[in-house]
Amino acid sequence: MKPAAATSWGLSEAEARTRLLAEGPNELPRTGRRTPLRIAIEIVREPMLALLLGGGAVYLLLGDPHEALILLCFATLSIAITIVQEARTERVLEALRDLTSPRALVVRDGERLRVAGREVVRGDIVMLAEGDRVPADLLPVQSRDLQVDESLLTGESVPVRKVAAMPLDRTAKHQPGGDDVPAVFSGSLVVRGSGVGEVAATGARTEIGAIGQALSSLESEAPRLQMQTRHLVKLFALAGAAVSVLAVLLYGWLRGGWLDGILAGIALGMSMLPEEFPIVLTIFMAMGAWRISQVRVLTRRAAAIETLGSATVLCTDKTGTLTKNQMAVAELRTPNGVFSLLKTSDVVPEAFRDLVELGVLASAEVPFDPMEKAFYELAAERLPKRTGVSDRQLVRSYGLRPELLAMSNVWRRSGDPDCLVAAKGSPEAILKLCRLDAERSFAIRNDADAMAAEGLRVLGVARASHAESRLADEQTGFDFEFVGLVGLADPLRPEVRDAVASCRSAGIRVLMITGDYPATAKAIAQEAGLDAANVVTGEQLRTLSPAELCRAVKTTTVFARIMPDQKLAIVNALKANGEVVAMTGDGVNDAPSLKAADIGIAMGGRGTDVAREASSIVLLDDDFGSIVKTIRLGRRIYDNLRKAMSFIFAVHVPIAGLALMPLLFGLPILFGPIHIAFLEMVVDPVCSLVFEAEAEEEDIMKRPARDPKEALLTGPLMGWSVAQGVLALAIVATIFLLGLRSGIPESEIRALTFCALVVSILGLVLVNRAFGASLIAALGRPNLTLVAVATMDALVLGLVLLWPTASELFQFRQPGLRELVFVLAAGFGLVGALELLKYRFRSGA
């Protein structure tokens, strides 16, 4: 960052206006936004949408407005959903603009002036105080105990200390993270002290602006499932067209009625029109989003649902994701013992209460610092009230200094001529104040190092007594007594360890990517059950080539001191290795990697707007365990989608076969448009609603993650579908031919054949309820939707057979009871035969 030269009183109003015109406002640049009409035109060009619209138009021309309306409604719904999704990137940038445009107190023409954040320009002098959001990237001119929270940029939960910039610092490149960096960054929050800074960069030239540019340059990938479905639709459309042409030719050559042949071909083609595919996909994605919302997870991008089941790597931030993003006192250590607060909820023992009380007294009366808040919370929740504490009055405070990282508060006590001086700070600073001998200092340093190795932030606490009339000018003027050490940590969320174990059993690697220090990251990783033997830092990552990074991410589980651009590089390296990446996060620094990941998962409660807008899934209650529930649901949804697609493929075989048989062999025409409409009433709810409601199979979270390149309908699955369809066709055709040989009237044969086809379709549903489990196991998983659909189909079929008006419309004649029993027996035989085939296939595998 190279700031412009400015007077000690800042810029003049005229200079500020000139720079605002020359360099632009302090906000992210606005790119050209696509209009909804433009987006809609692009969407309609998609083959699946064109199929829905084209199918609706054909149904309309054939005089079937009901089917046309259904297809057109689905097309409209899909267009609307896609338009909403396309607007997400704009909302991400808008959220970033809001975050980077707080109001600022600047010095212009020698006077302090409050201006809008977007009007801050390079060279402005900005005044900073506790609670201020930094409006631009600054170089501190003055720093009075200035500490800022940079967790939005770095993921580090502890505030960092800032120092005034020296002349050489003006030409150096500075990055967020770490203490004593002579730069304050846009979007960070002042939690302690005050300062004066000179603006070095605004708008897109800031660190947070670089994140916005990274977001705007990322393009969302086309969903794999959508591409696979397009391929299936094309195959079905080609097959349907071929069968339709064949039907026209056969009808014309064999029966001489070319016009009737054309109408028969159109009807046959419409019966094979694969409109079920896009409808099923739309319903499964919509219902999947609803089911996922029941576990307090919001689906922002439907494509993420299809990808959940194939996730192979889960990249997680530490702060606010694995941890609570709330500092807490974890350990108290005095010369007489150690008390761990994370292992018990008991009140603080008597021997450690002075240590806690002095930590509170050494903190600000109204704390902003997360560590000071932790002292207050501990005292309020787990420290018994003691007399004589509330009547103290603050006399004087001594702040942190670069040369002495400790602070002290002097308190007047009623009835006591001497004041109590409470001090806390780094262990080295407290040891310096206490002037201990070498042996005791060495022991305390060893204790502090051991606590730090466990990932704790360590503070020393001391006390002194001094007459109020003769208070020292510096903290070193007091005769301090060492009290003890306090270890603070951002504690692990209680559900994380079980969630990590579940991910491991499902074949999903969990990686931690954090901006925090290696020791802290390693401690949290070990506590979460991750392999933390090898920790790669941002500095080490910077030296790796793209190929070396791709190799490193295969074996490394923990990444520490990572910058936002490096998070994005890690995600891209994992994707280059063929992994399907789910990325969790809650800060601005996570936004580019959330958007680049196959599945971006943001924290809804503690997360920033930017992270939520960049993600495809939002955890509404910040429960890390919900990720595992969501992955389970994702696998269930994909599993059921494959079952539905397999069923659709299988059920079209007997329908097409029965339509072709009369044309090939000169037999009576079985089905007309009304019969096809009834079959669609059976097939459509089954393939969409029944399979969608199917519960997951028992081993669904014990399977390895599926190959993302695997086709929705694999070769073996398509073969299994064809086998089901051929066997169903053989049974129904046998009933048809036996009826012809028995001399049964044509209308009764049509009724028996139609009943046999409906029963066979329901039999295919039962067989396809489970890929691996048997029918008996599948029946143990209740599916009320299946019961409702089967009952409705049976009632309507019975009505058609028994009500004379309906029978006449369908050209049916009521068959005898013996024939109907035979049809039902044939249906049971079909199910038994397919279950035997499934069992033999499973045993052979």
Side-chain angles (χ1 to χ4, degrees):
M1 297 187 298
K2 297 181 180 180
T7 69
S8 58
W9 296 105
L11 302 175
S12 66
E13 275 290 349
E15 288 173 316
R17 283 195 297 270
T18 301
R19 291 189 182 183
L20 187 63
L21 290 173
E23 300 178 2
N26 180 32
E27 61 184 9
L28 295 181
R30 298 177 182 268
T31 55
R33 190 172 183 176
R34 292 187 300 165
T35 64
L37 177 61
R38 179 179 169 187
I39 295 173
I41 292 173
E42 294 175 0
I43 296 168
V44 171
R45 294 175 183 170
E46 294 290 330
M48 288 178 63
L49 265 299
L51 174 70
L52 283 173
L53 294 172
V58 172
Y59 275 120
L60 199 60
L61 291 174
L62 292 176
D64 191 346
H66 177 69
E67 288 291 337
L69 184 62
I70 290 175
L71 292 184
L72 292 174
C73 285
F74 273 107
T76 304
L77 177 64
S78 183
I79 291 172
I81 291 173
T82 309
I83 290 175
V84 171
Q85 292 172 359
E86 290 291 328
R88 290 174 62 251
T89 299
E90 285 297 321
R91 293 201 297 273
V92 174
L93 297 178
E94 289 294 337
L96 270 174
R97 292 187 189 106
D98 292 342
L99 188 60
T100 54
S101 189
R103 294 187 65 80
L105 183 62
V106 300
V107 178
R108 290 183 182 170
D109 291 324
E111 296 183 1
R112 297 187 180 190
L113 180 67
R114 185 74 65 177
V115 299
R118 68 186 307 276
E119 297 176 6
V120 173
V121 298
R122 185 172 54 87
D124 259 329
I125 297 297
V126 179
M127 315 298 293
L128 298 175
E130 285 186 3
D132 284 350
R133 181 74 68 180
V134 180
D137 284 1
L138 313 175
L139 290 179
V141 178
Q142 297 176 13
S143 175
R144 290 181 290 275
D145 191 16
L146 181 62
Q147 295 186 30
V148 299
D149 178 357
E150 294 180 346
S151 60
L152 292 181
L153 293 165
T154 66
E156 184 179 342
S157 55
V158 177
V160 292
R161 185 175 57 251
K162 297 297 180 182
V163 296
M166 305 300 289
L168 290 177
D169 295 326
R170 293 176 173 274
T171 57
K173 171 67 176 175
H174 304 293
Q175 289 186 326
D179 288 322
D180 299 330
V181 174
V184 185
F185 299 95
S186 179
S188 56
L189 181 69
V190 179
V191 297
R192 178 191 288 280
S194 61
V196 179
E198 182 181 342
V199 177
T202 60
R205 293 172 289 276
T206 61
E207 288 293 323
I208 201 171
I211 296 175
Q213 289 181 316
L215 278 173
S216 63
S217 65
L218 291 174
E219 294 292 336
S220 298
E221 297 179 0
R224 293 183 178 90
L225 190 57
Q226 191 180 63
M227 293 187 290
Q228 291 179 5
T229 308
R230 287 178 193 166
H231 181 64
L232 282 176
V233 165
K234 290 176 182 177
L235 288 179
F236 255 74
L238 289 174
V243 171
S244 298
V245 171
L246 180 62
V248 172
L249 294 176
L250 288 174
Y251 204 104
W253 285 336
L254 297 177
R255 304 197 179 195
W258 287 99
L259 182 58
D260 290 339
I262 292 173
L263 293 175
I266 290 175
L268 179 60
M270 292 308 297
S271 71
M272 294 188 65
L273 183 71
E275 82 271 10
E276 293 98 344
F277 283 131
I279 289 176
V280 164
L281 185 60
T282 302
I283 289 178
F284 267 65
M285 295 302 104
M287 291 297 293
W290 176 79
R291 291 191 185 279
I292 288 174
S293 71
Q294 301 305 295
V295 296
R296 301 285 296 158
V297 177
L298 173 66
T299 305
R300 297 183 52 78
R301 184 161 56 93
I305 298 173
E306 73 187 60
T307 319
L308 280 169
S310 62
T312 58
V313 176
L314 174 58
C315 297
T316 174
D317 186 29
K318 177 187 72 69
T319 305
T321 307
L322 293 178
T323 66
K324 297 180 179 179
N325 195 21
Q326 179 180 348
M327 295 300 291
V329 177
E331 186 176 304
L332 301 173
R333 187 176 294 226
T334 68
N336 298 321
V338 178
F339 179 63
S340 177
L341 291 101
L342 297 181
K343 298 178 180 178
T344 178
S345 58
D346 297 339
V347 296
V348 176
E350 181 68 33
F352 299 93
R353 290 174 187 173
D354 281 347
L355 180 58
V356 178
E357 286 182 353
L358 288 166
V360 172
L361 293 173
S363 303
E365 289 186 284
V366 181
F368 280 89
D369 186 287
M371 290 190 285
E372 293 190 345
K373 289 181 179 179
F375 276 107
Y376 274 88
E377 289 172 3
L378 176 61
E381 296 173 3
R382 299 171 66 177
L383 203 64
K385 299 295 183 183
R386 293 208 277 185
T387 59
V389 175
S390 59
D391 60 351
R392 293 192 177 105
Q393 291 182 325
L394 183 63
V395 176
R396 182 171 177 178
S397 294
Y398 299 85
L400 289 167
R401 292 290 179 268
E403 65 277 6
L404 184 65
L405 299 178
M407 64 174 295
S408 300
N409 286 337
V410 181
W411 296 88
R412 180 187 300 118
R413 298 178 290 192
S414 61
D416 192 337
D418 290 337
C419 291
L420 171 67
V421 186
K424 66 174 174 59
S426 69
E428 294 80 8
I430 294 298
L431 289 176
K432 181 179 179 181
L433 291 176
C434 293
R435 304 180 185 91
L436 300 176
D437 59 68
E439 182 179 354
R440 193 173 175 201
S441 294
F442 180 76
I444 293 172
R445 284 194 179 94
N446 281 343
D447 288 342
D449 291 342
M451 295 169 71
E454 296 175 2
L456 300 178
R457 302 281 174 165
V458 185
L459 294 178
V461 176
R463 67 180 165 197
S465 293
H466 204 280
E468 183 178 348
S469 58
R470 295 182 289 108
L471 291 179
D473 293 331
E474 300 289 342
Q475 296 180 76
T476 52
F478 297 109
D479 185 15
F480 279 105
E481 171 193 356
F482 181 78
V483 176
L485 298 173
V486 179
L488 298 102
D490 184 5
L492 192 76
R493 291 177 181 271
E495 71 277 0
V496 166
R497 192 173 183 88
D498 289 341
V500 169
S502 297
C503 287
R504 188 181 296 112
S505 68
I508 302 170
R509 286 180 63 207
V510 179
L511 273 61
M512 179 199 289
I513 307 174
T514 179
D516 217 333
Y517 290 94
T520 307
K522 186 172 184 178
I524 291 294
Q526 290 173 336
E527 191 178 351
L530 299 175
D531 178 13
N534 182 27
V535 180
V536 173
T537 65
E539 289 185 6
Q540 294 170 326
L541 205 66
R542 203 170 286 114
T543 64
L544 300 180
S545 66
E548 290 172 331
L549 178 58
C550 287
R551 288 194 294 271
V553 297
K554 291 181 179 179
T555 56
T556 305
T557 302
V558 181
F559 297 86
R561 304 302 290 166
I562 299 298
M563 300 303 294
D565 59 324
Q566 293 175 323
K567 284 190 177 186
L568 183 59
I570 292 171
V571 169
N572 288 334
L574 288 166
K575 292 173 70 176
N577 288 342
E579 306 281 7
V580 178
V581 183
M583 172 75 192
T584 72
D586 62 349
V588 174
N589 60 316
D590 299 320
S593 47
L594 283 172
K595 187 175 180 184
D598 297 290
I599 312 162
I601 306 172
M603 299 292 155
R606 298 180 184 274
T608 60
D609 288 341
V610 180
R612 286 191 290 267
E613 295 290 342
S615 66
S616 47
I617 289 175
V618 179
L619 306 183
L620 296 179
D621 54 6
D622 291 357
D623 184 356
F624 186 82
S626 295
I627 296 175
V628 178
K629 297 176 186 175
T630 306
I631 291 174
R632 175 187 291 273
L633 281 171
R635 291 190 174 192
R636 165 188 166 176
I637 291 165
Y638 187 84
D639 220 24
N640 290 343
L641 183 60
R642 292 185 71 207
K643 293 173 185 176
M645 295 296 187
S646 176
F647 168 78
I648 293 171
F649 203 91
V651 82
H652 275 83
V653 174
I655 292 175
L658 291 172
L660 276 175
M661 273 183 60
L663 300 178
L664 288 172
F665 302 108
L667 302 174
I669 300 295
L670 281 173
F671 303 142
I674 192 168
H675 303 98
I676 299 298
F678 185 93
L679 289 174
E680 288 181 351
M681 186 185 73
V682 176
V683 173
D684 289 350
V686 165
C687 64
S688 55
L689 299 179
V690 171
F691 283 110
E692 193 284 326
E694 191 66 36
E696 71 266 15
E697 298 185 34
E698 290 182 0
D699 65 339
I700 199 163
M701 285 300 285
K702 297 177 182 177
R703 307 172 190 169
R706 64 178 173 82
D707 185 352
K709 297 179 182 178
E710 181 183 64
L712 181 63
L713 281 180
T714 60
L717 187 57
M718 289 181 69
W720 170 237
S721 299
V722 171
Q724 294 179 71
V726 169
L727 190 55
L729 174 61
I731 289 176
V732 177
T734 299
I735 292 174
F736 174 43
L737 295 175
L738 286 175
L740 288 175
R741 289 191 60 181
S742 302
I744 297 176
E746 181 180 319
S747 57
E748 188 174 340
I749 292 174
R750 182 177 293 108
L752 276 175
T753 307
F754 190 79
C755 288
L757 181 57
V758 172
V759 170
S760 297
I761 290 173
L762 293 177
L764 292 178
V765 173
L766 295 176
V767 171
N768 282 282
R769 286 188 66 194
F771 285 135
S774 66
L775 175 62
I776 296 175
L779 291 175
R781 301 194 307 269
N783 187 333
L784 297 180
T785 307
L786 171 59
V787 174
V789 170
T791 303
M792 182 191 70
D793 290 341
L795 290 174
V796 175
L797 184 60
L799 181 67
V800 168
L801 293 175
L802 300 176
W803 188 24
T805 304
S807 297
E808 184 179 350
L809 183 64
F810 276 77
Q811 299 180 21
F812 285 169
R813 177 180 174 181
Q814 183 178 340
L817 180 61
R818 186 180 62 178
E819 287 81 6
L820 288 176
V821 171
F822 180 76
V823 166
L824 287 175
F828 282 114
L830 171 66
V831 173
L834 290 174
E835 280 296 308
L836 181 61
L837 284 175
K838 187 198 296 186
Y839 174 77
R840 295 193 63 178
F841 175 78
R842 193 167 65 245
S843 300

Short mmCIF file of all heavy atoms in Angstrom, two decimals, residues 507-529:
data_model
loop_
_atom_site.label_atom_id
_atom_site.label_comp_id
_atom_site.label_asym_id
_atom_site.label_seq_id
_atom_site.Cartn_x
_atom_site.Cartn_y
_atom_site.Cartn_z
N GLY A 507 -16.62 -41.89 3.90
CA GLY A 507 -15.59 -41.73 2.87
C GLY A 507 -15.33 -40.29 2.49
O GLY A 507 -14.88 -40.02 1.37
N ILE A 508 -15.58 -39.36 3.40
CA ILE A 508 -15.37 -37.93 3.12
C ILE A 508 -14.19 -37.42 3.94
O ILE A 508 -14.20 -37.52 5.17
CB ILE A 508 -16.64 -37.13 3.46
CG1 ILE A 508 -17.83 -37.64 2.66
CG2 ILE A 508 -16.43 -35.64 3.18
CD1 ILE A 508 -19.16 -37.06 3.09
N ARG A 509 -13.17 -36.91 3.29
CA ARG A 509 -12.04 -36.29 3.99
C ARG A 509 -12.45 -34.93 4.53
O ARG A 509 -13.13 -34.17 3.86
CB ARG A 509 -10.85 -36.10 3.05
CG ARG A 509 -10.08 -37.34 2.68
CD ARG A 509 -8.95 -36.96 1.74
NE ARG A 509 -7.99 -36.07 2.38
CZ ARG A 509 -7.22 -35.19 1.72
NH1 ARG A 509 -7.34 -35.05 0.41
NH2 ARG A 509 -6.38 -34.43 2.37
N VAL A 510 -12.02 -34.63 5.76
CA VAL A 510 -12.29 -33.32 6.35
C VAL A 510 -10.96 -32.58 6.47
O VAL A 510 -10.01 -33.07 7.09
CB VAL A 510 -12.95 -33.46 7.74
CG1 VAL A 510 -13.20 -32.08 8.33
CG2 VAL A 510 -14.26 -34.22 7.63
N LEU A 511 -10.89 -31.40 5.86
CA LEU A 511 -9.70 -30.56 5.90
C LEU A 511 -10.02 -29.28 6.65
O LEU A 511 -11.10 -28.70 6.47
CB LEU A 511 -9.23 -30.19 4.49
CG LEU A 511 -8.29 -31.14 3.75
CD1 LEU A 511 -8.93 -32.51 3.55
CD2 LEU A 511 -7.89 -30.55 2.40
N MET A 512 -9.08 -28.83 7.50
CA MET A 512 -9.23 -27.54 8.17
C MET A 512 -8.35 -26.51 7.47
O MET A 512 -7.15 -26.73 7.29
CB MET A 512 -8.82 -27.63 9.64
CG MET A 512 -8.95 -26.29 10.37
SD MET A 512 -7.98 -26.22 11.89
CE MET A 512 -8.92 -27.33 12.91
N ILE A 513 -8.97 -25.40 7.07
CA ILE A 513 -8.23 -24.31 6.43
C ILE A 513 -8.52 -23.05 7.22
O ILE A 513 -9.66 -22.56 7.22
CB ILE A 513 -8.67 -24.13 4.95
CG1 ILE A 513 -8.57 -25.45 4.19
CG2 ILE A 513 -7.82 -23.07 4.27
CD1 ILE A 513 -9.12 -25.38 2.78
N THR A 514 -7.52 -22.50 7.89
CA THR A 514 -7.76 -21.40 8.81
C THR A 514 -6.67 -20.34 8.68
O THR A 514 -5.56 -20.62 8.23
CB THR A 514 -7.82 -21.91 10.26
OG1 THR A 514 -8.02 -20.82 11.14
CG2 THR A 514 -6.53 -22.62 10.65
N GLY A 515 -7.02 -19.13 9.10
CA GLY A 515 -6.05 -18.06 9.15
C GLY A 515 -5.34 -17.99 10.49
O GLY A 515 -4.46 -17.14 10.69
N ASP A 516 -5.69 -18.87 11.41
CA ASP A 516 -5.12 -18.84 12.75
C ASP A 516 -3.72 -19.46 12.75
O ASP A 516 -3.26 -20.03 11.76
CB ASP A 516 -6.04 -19.56 13.73
CG ASP A 516 -6.05 -18.88 15.10
OD1 ASP A 516 -5.04 -18.25 15.44
OD2 ASP A 516 -7.07 -18.99 15.80
N TYR A 517 -3.07 -19.39 13.93
CA TYR A 517 -1.71 -19.88 14.06
C TYR A 517 -1.65 -21.40 14.03
O TYR A 517 -2.61 -22.09 14.42
CB TYR A 517 -1.08 -19.35 15.35
CG TYR A 517 -0.82 -17.87 15.32
CD1 TYR A 517 -1.76 -16.96 15.81
CD2 TYR A 517 0.35 -17.37 14.77
CE1 TYR A 517 -1.53 -15.60 15.77
CE2 TYR A 517 0.59 -16.00 14.71
CZ TYR A 517 -0.35 -15.12 15.21
OH TYR A 517 -0.11 -13.77 15.16
N PRO A 518 -0.51 -21.99 13.61
CA PRO A 518 -0.40 -23.45 13.49
C PRO A 518 -0.68 -24.18 14.80
O PRO A 518 -1.35 -25.22 14.79
CB PRO A 518 1.05 -23.65 13.02
CG PRO A 518 1.40 -22.38 12.31
CD PRO A 518 0.68 -21.30 13.04
N ALA A 519 -0.15 -23.67 15.93
CA ALA A 519 -0.35 -24.37 17.21
C ALA A 519 -1.83 -24.44 17.57
O ALA A 519 -2.34 -25.49 17.99
CB ALA A 519 0.44 -23.67 18.32
N THR A 520 -2.54 -23.32 17.38
CA THR A 520 -3.97 -23.29 17.68
C THR A 520 -4.73 -24.21 16.74
O THR A 520 -5.61 -24.97 17.15
CB THR A 520 -4.52 -21.86 17.57
OG1 THR A 520 -3.73 -20.99 18.38
CG2 THR A 520 -5.96 -21.79 18.00
N ALA A 521 -4.40 -24.14 15.45
CA ALA A 521 -5.07 -24.98 14.45
C ALA A 521 -4.84 -26.46 14.75
O ALA A 521 -5.76 -27.28 14.67
CB ALA A 521 -4.56 -24.64 13.05
N LYS A 522 -3.61 -26.81 15.12
CA LYS A 522 -3.29 -28.21 15.40
C LYS A 522 -4.06 -28.71 16.61
O LYS A 522 -4.59 -29.82 16.62
CB LYS A 522 -1.79 -28.36 15.62
CG LYS A 522 -1.32 -29.79 15.77
CD LYS A 522 0.20 -29.88 15.79
CE LYS A 522 0.67 -31.33 15.85
NZ LYS A 522 2.15 -31.43 15.81
N ALA A 523 -4.15 -27.88 17.66
CA ALA A 523 -4.87 -28.28 18.87
C ALA A 523 -6.35 -28.50 18.59
O ALA A 523 -6.94 -29.50 19.03
CB ALA A 523 -4.68 -27.22 19.95
N ILE A 524 -6.96 -27.59 17.84
CA ILE A 524 -8.38 -27.74 17.52
C ILE A 524 -8.60 -28.96 16.62
O ILE A 524 -9.57 -29.71 16.79
CB ILE A 524 -8.91 -26.46 16.85
CG1 ILE A 524 -8.97 -25.31 17.86
CG2 ILE A 524 -10.29 -26.69 16.25
CD1 ILE A 524 -9.96 -25.50 18.98
N ALA A 525 -7.69 -29.17 15.67
CA ALA A 525 -7.82 -30.31 14.77
C ALA A 525 -7.76 -31.63 15.55
O ALA A 525 -8.56 -32.55 15.31
CB ALA A 525 -6.72 -30.27 13.71
N GLN A 526 -6.83 -31.72 16.48
CA GLN A 526 -6.72 -32.94 17.28
C GLN A 526 -7.97 -33.15 18.13
O GLN A 526 -8.47 -34.27 18.27
CB GLN A 526 -5.48 -32.87 18.16
CG GLN A 526 -4.17 -32.98 17.37
CD GLN A 526 -2.94 -32.74 18.24
OE1 GLN A 526 -3.02 -32.08 19.28
NE2 GLN A 526 -1.80 -33.25 17.81
N GLU A 527 -8.49 -32.06 18.69
CA GLU A 527 -9.69 -32.16 19.51
C GLU A 527 -10.90 -32.60 18.67
O GLU A 527 -11.78 -33.30 19.17
CB GLU A 527 -9.97 -30.82 20.18
CG GLU A 527 -11.04 -30.88 21.26
CD GLU A 527 -11.27 -29.53 21.93
OE1 GLU A 527 -10.48 -28.59 21.67
OE2 GLU A 527 -12.23 -29.43 22.70
N ALA A 528 -10.91 -32.18 17.39
CA ALA A 528 -12.02 -32.53 16.51
C ALA A 528 -11.89 -33.93 15.92
O ALA A 528 -12.81 -34.42 15.27
CB ALA A 528 -12.12 -31.52 15.37
N GLY A 529 -10.74 -34.58 16.16
CA GLY A 529 -10.54 -35.92 15.62
C GLY A 529 -9.91 -35.94 14.25
O GLY A 529 -9.98 -36.95 13.54
#
